[in-house]
Amino acid sequence: MQIADVQDEIDHELVSKAQIEGKIKEVAAQVSKDYAGKDLLLVAVLKGAVNTLAAFSQALSINVQMDFMSLSSYGEGFESSGKITVRQDLSCDVKGRNILIVEDIIDSGYTLDWLVRELKGRGAASVEVFALLEKPSRREVEVPLKYKGYEVPDEFVVGFGLDYKEHFRNLDSIAVLKPSVYEGAAA
Ligand code: PRP
């Protein structure tokens, strides 16, 4: 889906499809170099990271494995609660593995902070993070981001995995939602 298909609900484009592809290619080249000859497990946090994981994994030139976790960091509203709930766990043992967590966005940092500590606690040999987007102004917990994409302002951002009420995840670029779409809406 493209912005033109949902233009009544989109205010403006923030990161184009070409920019996303370019950044993912750049990070994938670096990761392929950094992990050459090593075992690497990509861990994606459902559901938002799925688009990034798909594009990123295909851009790698090394043979990796992938696993998924479903976490919830949001409570009743749009704000991160800091309380992480595991909805679905990994299907493999991470003991002794090199892990790269792939995320669509780091906002408050609570999700990644919890996940990095959790995977290290399970005995992973190394845990690094790639987040396609970050909202630096919203950060409450510092998380070391070894690989990063674009910084975005504190606006309601959708597309390329990011949703509003489960919609817009299949938008091929990243865009700002019109406030009229969510103003007055129940969380
Ligand atoms: C989003 C995003 C990250 C998390 C980041 O997931 O995918 O996992 O929030 O926020 P934080 O840095 O404030 O913790 P969300 O809980 O909205 O679920 P989703 O991926 O299914 O959309």
Side-chain angles (χ1 to χ4, degrees):
M1 181 171 78
Q2 301 177 343
I3 284 183
D5 299 312
V6 280
Q7 59 186 1
D8 290 351
E9 293 151 292
I10 297 299
D11 194 79
H12 60 279
E13 183 181 78
L14 213 50
V15 189
S16 70
K17 182 175 185 254
Q19 284 176 310
I20 296 170
E21 285 169 358
K23 181 59 76 179
I24 284 179
K25 256 184 149 174
E26 189 186 307
V27 175
Q30 187 61 49
V31 168
S32 299
K33 212 168 128 191
D34 293 351
Y35 290 90
K38 292 183 186 163
D39 157 74
L40 179 61
L41 174 68
L42 303 181
V43 168
V45 182
L46 297 169
K47 302 172 187 173
V50 164
N51 300 54
T52 301
L53 178 80
F56 175 69
S57 61
Q58 289 176 59
L60 290 170
S61 59
I62 52 171
N63 204 344
V64 299
Q65 292 185 319
M66 300 184 236
D67 207 345
F68 301 88
M69 251 181 143
S70 179
L71 304 175
S72 178
S73 64
Y74 285 72
E76 297 291 300
F78 296 134
E79 299 289 314
S80 186
S81 63
K83 191 174 155 242
I84 308 296
T85 312
V86 179
R87 289 201 195 108
Q88 184 191 307
D89 209 340
L90 296 171
S91 61
C92 69
D93 185 358
V94 299
K95 206 168 192 300
R97 309 288 309 270
N98 296 311
I99 295 175
L100 178 60
I101 300 169
V102 177
E103 259 290 27
D104 53 338
I105 191 163
I106 176 164
D107 194 337
S108 68
Y110 286 126
T111 304
L112 278 169
D113 176 61
W114 180 88
L115 186 55
V116 168
R117 284 189 286 109
E118 173 68 18
L119 296 177
K120 283 182 176 166
R122 292 183 190 188
S126 68
V127 183
E128 301 291 355
V129 179
F130 167 38
L132 181 63
L133 303 177
E134 61 169 330
K135 275 186 182 170
S137 60
R138 302 249 311 172
R139 192 67 51 82
E140 288 182 35
V141 188
E142 254 336 294
V143 180
L145 270 184
K146 183 156 185 192
Y147 307 99
K148 53 185 178 182
Y150 293 97
E151 291 190 359
V152 293
D154 188 14
E155 293 180 287
F156 207 118
V157 176
V158 294
F160 212 76
L162 289 117
D163 73 307
Y164 170 62
K165 293 195 168 183
E166 296 298 330
H167 286 89
F168 301 97
R169 291 194 196 272
N170 62 317
L171 183 63
D172 68 359
S173 62
I174 290 157
V176 174
L177 204 58
K178 273 187 185 162
S180 57
V181 176
Y182 55 86
E183 273 171 0

